[in-house]
Amino acid sequence: MSTNKLLGEMLVKRNCITQEQLDQVLKDPVCQEDMLGAVLVNKGLLKEEDLLKALSEQFNLPFFARLKDAHISTEAIKAVPAKFVKHYGFMPISLEGQVLTVAVFNPMDVWLAENIKLNLGFRVSRILTSRREVEAAIHKYYGAVAGTVDKIMEEKIGQGTKLAKDESVEDIEKNAGEASVIELVNQIISEAIKMRATDIHIEIYVDKVVLRYRIDGVLREMKMPQDAYYIEPAIVSRIKIMCHLDVVEHRVPQDGRAKVRLLDGQEVDLRVSILQGYFGENVVIRILPSQVLLDLNKIGFSPEDLKTIERLLQRPHGIILITGPTGSGKTTTLYTCLSRLNRKEVKIISIEDPVEYAIEGITQIHVNPKVGLTFASALRSVLRHDPDIMMIGEIRDSETADLAIRSSLTGHLVFSTLHTNDSATGIARLMDMGIEPYLLASSVEVIIAQRLVRLLCPLCKGRGCESCSETGFKGRRAIYEIMLIDDEIRGMITEHKNAQDIKAKAREKGMRTLMENGMLLVQQGLTTKEEIMRVVELE
């Protein structure tokens, strides 16, 4: 009896399919070339898990729906090279003596055990799971780049290269141009984009390289083979070449940009920072989508707050300030506001460090302190360029603050950011810079504090699954604290009232704090109380 016929009868006996469905599929010419189970799954007649359970009975193999229940051992992973695992498509589970237990998704692959015995010297015991589980486990325990690192090291050893990190500049430049190193850097970047990372950190220590991705605002360490230590200089050099930086310079920090195109045609901008550490050069790559959706309706404001923001954007002059720590989404909120105002009738100029997203219709200036182009000096020039609306990336000093305020008082709408923990503290920060309270009171229209909180994964609601890389969270959303500067609060500012009193008055008038807005998301089941506490200071 054929394998397909035997499997089909088992599936009918287990009530997974009907006899009529089996007879019809067996007549299909496709079934003569492919395995019956695959045809049934592709046609939507059979669930993959039901197929695997039937195959486990047919081949007398233990079945695991989730590989994390199989207790994967470190010894088994160390015993099998990444290149071998990825080539043959199996996952080492345990090693007892000379018996290697492996997870497979295709029990028909009769040559796998022979190849393992021939190449590695182990006898093989198999368990069955899905292809998705095998691939996810390989990714988790070996990392996305392990096979490429193995290939590079094999080439080095095959060429008789001594394994040492102190390579000459010429060797590093040559290695950076090799196809395998290019492939490795491309894998690191594409994997980060696939995992929705905003930053890639490549760090060199005494005897290893650490690769970390910032995903939803939190750094997560990725698997990086130990041998990557020997090729780290070539990795850094390749990144420098991509950004047109000086490959020979290792003493001073370097910054650059590059644009990459993915297989699906998507273009991504990379902003690169290279810094000399104690053990070598460290790299941080910021990933910036070439096209970003700047929709005020989808940025996280409640319907009530959205009306307030829309009303503020129609003001002819004044200052709109957004506060929060680095990475809280301030720049994206500013860009979104500017995009709403971007029309042919108005002149908009932004001064940024750096320019993150290019927006047609807005004149964007990249500050460069090395040549004397600071926020303050750029702002002076911008005022002579007949703007209606200005964005100052950040108010860092008293000169910039003073110019921004005087610009708003002379009929300009000014957007900017400050690094403060909440909205009311923004007033105190500007006063500390030497701004007179009466100028503040007459120019600032609103101060918006903001944070980004992680949202619960919609598929697992926080338990952890493949979709969210077992973190329980997927995606982020902004929470806001909007403090409108009305006449009463203007009076408090001119009277030098402290931030706590100003905040208390704003709350009396209906302002919801960051914590209160965060807890609204918790009540809606979108995030957790712990996540809100993580990003918002206790009040």
Side-chain angles (χ1 to χ4, degrees):
M1 185 181 289
S2 72
T3 306
N4 271 354
K5 185 77 171 171
L6 182 62
L7 175 61
E9 290 178 359
M10 287 180 66
L11 292 169
V12 171
K13 187 178 178 182
R14 295 167 73 101
N15 294 319
C16 296
I17 59 171
T18 65
Q19 185 65 50
E20 290 76 20
Q21 287 173 327
L22 173 62
D23 293 340
Q24 190 165 358
V25 171
L26 285 173
K27 292 175 186 175
D28 194 325
V30 178
C31 197
Q32 311 306 316
E33 300 176 12
D34 295 335
M35 190 173 140
L36 171 67
V39 176
L40 288 167
V41 170
N42 290 336
K43 286 180 175 290
L45 300 173
L46 180 66
K47 291 181 180 177
E48 184 184 26
E49 188 168 325
D50 290 335
L51 169 63
L52 292 169
K53 286 177 180 176
L55 288 172
S56 72
E57 181 182 323
Q58 183 182 10
F59 289 90
N60 195 26
L61 297 175
F63 170 68
F64 285 82
R66 301 287 299 269
L67 267 190
K68 67 179 183 182
D69 300 329
H71 308 295
I72 297 169
S73 75
T74 306
E75 292 76 17
I77 294 167
K78 288 180 178 177
V80 186
K83 188 179 175 183
F84 197 81
V85 163
K86 293 194 173 187
H87 178 73
Y88 288 103
F90 68 92
M91 179 64 203
I93 301 297
S94 63
L95 180 62
E96 296 176 9
Q98 288 299 300
V99 178
L100 178 70
T101 300
V102 300
V104 299
F105 56 84
N106 180 13
M108 310 288 283
D109 186 355
V110 294
W111 296 106
L112 178 63
E114 288 297 321
N115 285 322
I116 291 175
K117 188 173 182 181
L118 181 66
N119 289 279
L120 304 176
F122 300 122
R123 299 196 306 279
V124 173
S125 173
R126 300 186 300 171
I127 65 171
L128 190 62
T129 189
S130 67
R131 178 194 290 266
R132 185 178 62 253
E133 284 292 306
V134 168
E135 290 175 349
I138 292 173
H139 186 281
K140 179 179 179 181
Y141 290 97
Y142 283 93
V145 301
T148 308
V149 172
D150 282 357
K151 184 167 77 172
I152 294 170
M153 297 311 295
E154 279 181 16
E155 290 171 0
K156 277 177 167 282
I157 294 167
Q159 294 164 3
T161 305
K162 184 181 177 183
L163 293 184
K165 187 171 168 288
D166 54 342
E167 298 174 78
S168 68
V169 171
E170 290 77 16
D171 287 339
I172 289 172
E173 288 191 42
K174 178 172 68 69
N175 291 340
E178 290 178 355
S180 47
V181 174
I182 294 170
E183 180 186 352
L184 174 59
V185 172
N186 290 348
Q187 281 180 338
I188 290 171
I189 295 169
S190 61
E191 186 65 18
I193 294 167
K194 180 181 172 185
M195 295 183 72
R196 302 176 296 104
T198 55
D199 300 86
I200 303 168
H201 291 241
I202 303 171
E203 302 157 352
I204 181 78
Y205 295 100
V206 63
D207 60 354
K208 67 176 181 178
V209 175
V210 174
L211 174 66
R212 297 194 289 174
Y213 293 159
R214 190 177 294 281
I215 302 169
D216 292 334
V218 178
L219 280 172
R220 289 180 49 203
E221 187 170 341
M222 300 292 116
K223 284 287 179 183
M224 196 69 165
Q226 188 76 21
D227 285 342
Y229 173 79
Y230 299 107
I231 57 174
E232 195 264 354
I235 295 171
V236 176
S237 291
R238 171 58 192 161
I239 294 168
K240 286 181 179 179
I241 290 168
M242 289 172 64
C243 301
H244 307 288
L245 299 177
D246 188 348
V247 179
V248 180
E249 180 58 72
H250 305 287
R251 299 162 299 170
V252 298
Q254 294 192 68
D255 298 313
R257 297 184 81 113
K259 186 179 286 244
V260 296
R261 183 179 287 111
L262 305 182
L263 290 174
D264 62 2
Q266 178 191 359
E267 287 190 351
V268 175
D269 287 321
L270 306 177
R271 197 173 77 221
V272 176
S273 173
I274 298 175
L275 197 64
Q276 178 67 28
Y278 187 72
F279 297 105
E281 289 179 290
N282 296 285
V283 180
V284 173
I285 302 172
R286 168 66 58 88
I287 300 169
L288 301 165
S290 290
Q291 292 184 332
V292 62
L293 183 64
L294 300 172
D295 188 342
L296 204 58
N297 295 302
K298 296 179 181 177
I299 203 169
F301 289 117
S302 68
E304 180 188 345
D305 289 339
L306 187 59
K307 288 179 183 176
T308 302
I309 297 299
E310 291 275 17
R311 191 169 66 250
L312 287 164
L313 293 181
Q314 301 311 312
R315 298 278 173 93
H317 53 78
I319 296 182
I320 295 175
L321 282 175
I322 300 181
T323 76
T326 301
S328 58
K330 302 187 299 295
T331 304
T332 301
T333 301
L334 282 178
Y335 275 132
T336 306
C337 290
L338 289 182
S339 293
R340 176 58 63 94
L341 295 169
N342 189 5
R343 58 187 190 275
K344 293 178 181 178
E345 295 81 26
V346 294
K347 175 78 169 184
I348 303 176
I349 303 178
S350 73
I351 307 166
E352 307 171 51
D353 183 18
V355 174
E356 293 199 0
Y357 306 117
I359 304 176
E360 187 176 340
I362 298 176
T363 302
Q364 296 172 276
I365 300 167
H366 186 149
V367 301
N368 186 355
K370 291 178 183 176
V371 297
L373 186 63
T374 62
F375 277 112
S377 63
L379 186 50
R380 283 195 212 92
S381 299
V382 164
L383 287 169
R384 295 191 293 271
H385 213 70
D386 190 29
D388 297 296
I389 298 168
M390 293 184 291
M391 183 183 100
I392 305 163
E394 184 186 342
I395 294 177
R396 297 176 181 173
D397 53 58
S398 57
E399 188 181 6
T400 307
D402 184 64
L403 283 167
I405 285 171
R406 294 187 186 280
S407 301
S408 72
L409 293 173
T410 54
H412 301 93
L413 185 60
V414 180
F415 293 83
S416 193
T417 71
L418 281 172
H419 282 277
T420 63
N421 290 327
D422 64 4
S423 53
T425 315
I427 296 292
R429 177 64 53 84
L430 289 169
M431 286 185 180
D432 288 343
M433 289 181 183
I435 304 301
E436 291 294 336
Y438 75 91
L439 288 174
L440 276 180
S442 55
S443 61
V444 178
E445 299 290 340
V446 66
I447 302 180
I448 304 171
Q450 127 173 26
R451 298 288 190 283
L452 291 174
V453 297
R454 293 181 297 169
L455 298 176
L456 289 171
C457 172
L459 296 182
C460 67
K461 290 296 181 184
R463 292 190 307 275
C465 66
E466 181 191 355
S467 176
C468 62
S469 303
E470 306 295 337
T471 63
F473 294 94
K474 190 170 183 180
R476 289 190 292 175
R477 180 170 169 175
I479 55 173
Y480 298 91
E481 176 180 287
I482 302 174
M483 189 176 80
L484 293 168
I485 311 298
D486 62 9
D487 290 342
E488 199 167 353
I489 290 179
R490 290 185 203 281
M492 295 181 74
I493 293 171
T494 56
E495 293 169 11
H496 293 258
K497 296 290 185 182
N498 62 38
Q500 288 78 13
D501 291 341
I502 292 173
K503 186 167 186 176
K505 177 58 69 176
R507 292 184 70 181
E508 278 180 30
K509 291 174 168 290
M511 181 187 81
R512 284 194 306 270
T513 65
L514 285 166
M515 181 69 76
E516 289 164 347
N517 274 318
M519 288 306 169
L520 287 176
L521 294 186
V522 176
Q523 291 170 19
Q524 295 167 27
L526 296 174
T527 189
T528 65
K529 184 179 179 181
E530 292 74 21
E531 175 64 9
I532 300 301
M533 303 289 275
R534 182 182 72 85
V535 298
V536 181
E537 287 197 4
L538 288 175
E539 298 169 1

